[in-house]
Amino acid sequence: MLTAERHQLILSLLADKQTIRLQEIIDHTNASESTIRRDLDTLEKKGKLNRVHGGASAATLTKEEATMSEKSEKFHAEKEAIASFAARFIKGKETIFLDAGSTTNLMIPHLDPSITVVTNGPEHLPMLAERGITTYLIGGFVKPGTRAVIGANAVENLRQYRFDRCFVGVNGITEEDGLTTPDPEEAAIKKNVLAQSLSRYILADHSKFGTRTFTKFGDPEDAILITDASTPTAEKLKSKTEIEVAHP
């Protein structure tokens, strides 16, 4: 099969299934694994698809976002590993920003009660209170679905704070488009938090690498990336930033 024919077949499979595993492509094309990996690299550079762990996904620009409940159920073990690993960076009595999200929520059982937390995640409050952690919730509009606090009031409220460390979620990471999230107002929160923190951490399970969404809020080199598995995109980014892998 000619290279152009393989590329067309791969894109046709993605059009039908949105996500396809490497072995499936090999079975359909009868090509070697190394050949298919080169094909996927080429197609990704052309913006035709996104490389993900073990295969590829269709290159769609996502503006929709899963609810907090949906996020909590997906890749739970991987997020647990990332969360417990991320908490090890925090020193006693520090002030941190804890982004709204399912992975950051899983950090809370691992936090030292001596720290101070500022957050835009109302979902975090019960556990933070149970642990006796001093907590500030920024004010603003509560976003349906993810329940994150966002908007102009939230950004203005946030500007008064400075953080030793921040722990921020992300919906997509690519070499070309950087750190992205579907909602421009939530992106504004994340961008300001990164600027106001001495040490910055992006928490991203492997599915976020090679994916891009609607709004950019930073570059990979702006923070340490904490993930659960190496991916083709993560390997490319190692020359630009520090990547920590927390195995489940």
Side-chain angles (χ1 to χ4, degrees), residues 49-195:
L49 55 77
N50 294 319
R51 293 294 304 275
V52 297
H53 186 62
S57 64
T60 54
L61 188 62
T62 304
K63 292 178 72 175
E64 297 179 357
E65 189 166 10
T67 65
M68 183 66 168
S69 298
E70 290 168 338
K71 288 182 178 184
S72 297
E73 293 172 2
K74 197 171 184 181
F75 300 119
H76 185 79
E78 290 86 348
K79 290 176 179 178
E80 278 273 16
I82 293 167
S84 61
F85 186 88
R88 297 177 200 168
F89 288 93
I90 304 168
K91 296 179 173 61
K93 299 183 180 180
E94 287 189 330
T95 297
I96 71 165
F97 182 87
L98 203 61
D99 195 18
S102 56
T103 308
T104 47
N105 185 262
L106 293 170
M107 288 180 64
I108 297 171
H110 306 283
L111 299 180
D112 187 313
S114 71
I115 70 169
T116 298
V117 171
V118 179
T119 184
N120 68 327
E123 294 273 320
H124 299 337
L125 299 183
M127 276 199 293
L128 288 166
E130 283 173 15
R131 293 187 58 75
I133 295 172
T134 301
T135 303
Y136 294 83
L137 176 69
I138 64 172
F141 171 72
V142 180
K143 181 179 173 181
T146 64
R147 300 169 201 150
V149 178
I150 58 171
N153 288 342
V155 171
E156 187 60 34
N157 189 189
L158 180 65
R159 283 184 178 141
Q160 67 184 296
Y161 299 113
R162 297 296 181 270
F163 311 108
D164 293 300
R165 303 177 198 275
C166 68
F167 298 86
V168 177
V170 67
N171 295 80
I173 304 174
T174 67
E175 189 175 12
E176 298 79 10
D177 299 300
L179 311 172
T180 58
T181 197
D183 187 339
E185 292 198 68
E186 196 155 359
I189 297 288
K190 295 176 189 289
K191 185 173 183 178
N192 276 273
V193 165
L194 292 176

Side-chain angles (χ1 to χ4, degrees), residues 7 10-11 14 36-53 55-59 173-177 208-212 231-237:
H7 288 185
I10 291 168
L11 296 176
L14 281 173
I36 296 304
R37 288 187 183 278
R38 285 196 298 272
D39 287 341
L40 295 181
D41 283 342
T42 299
L43 290 168
E44 183 180 46
K45 287 175 182 176
K46 291 180 178 180
K48 302 292 186 181
L49 55 77
N50 294 319
R51 293 294 304 275
V52 297
H53 186 62
S57 64
I173 304 174
T174 67
E175 189 175 12
E176 298 79 10
D177 299 300
K208 307 299 172 58
F209 287 86
T211 298
R212 61 184 185 136
T231 65
T233 301
E235 290 299 318
K236 291 177 185 176
L237 292 173

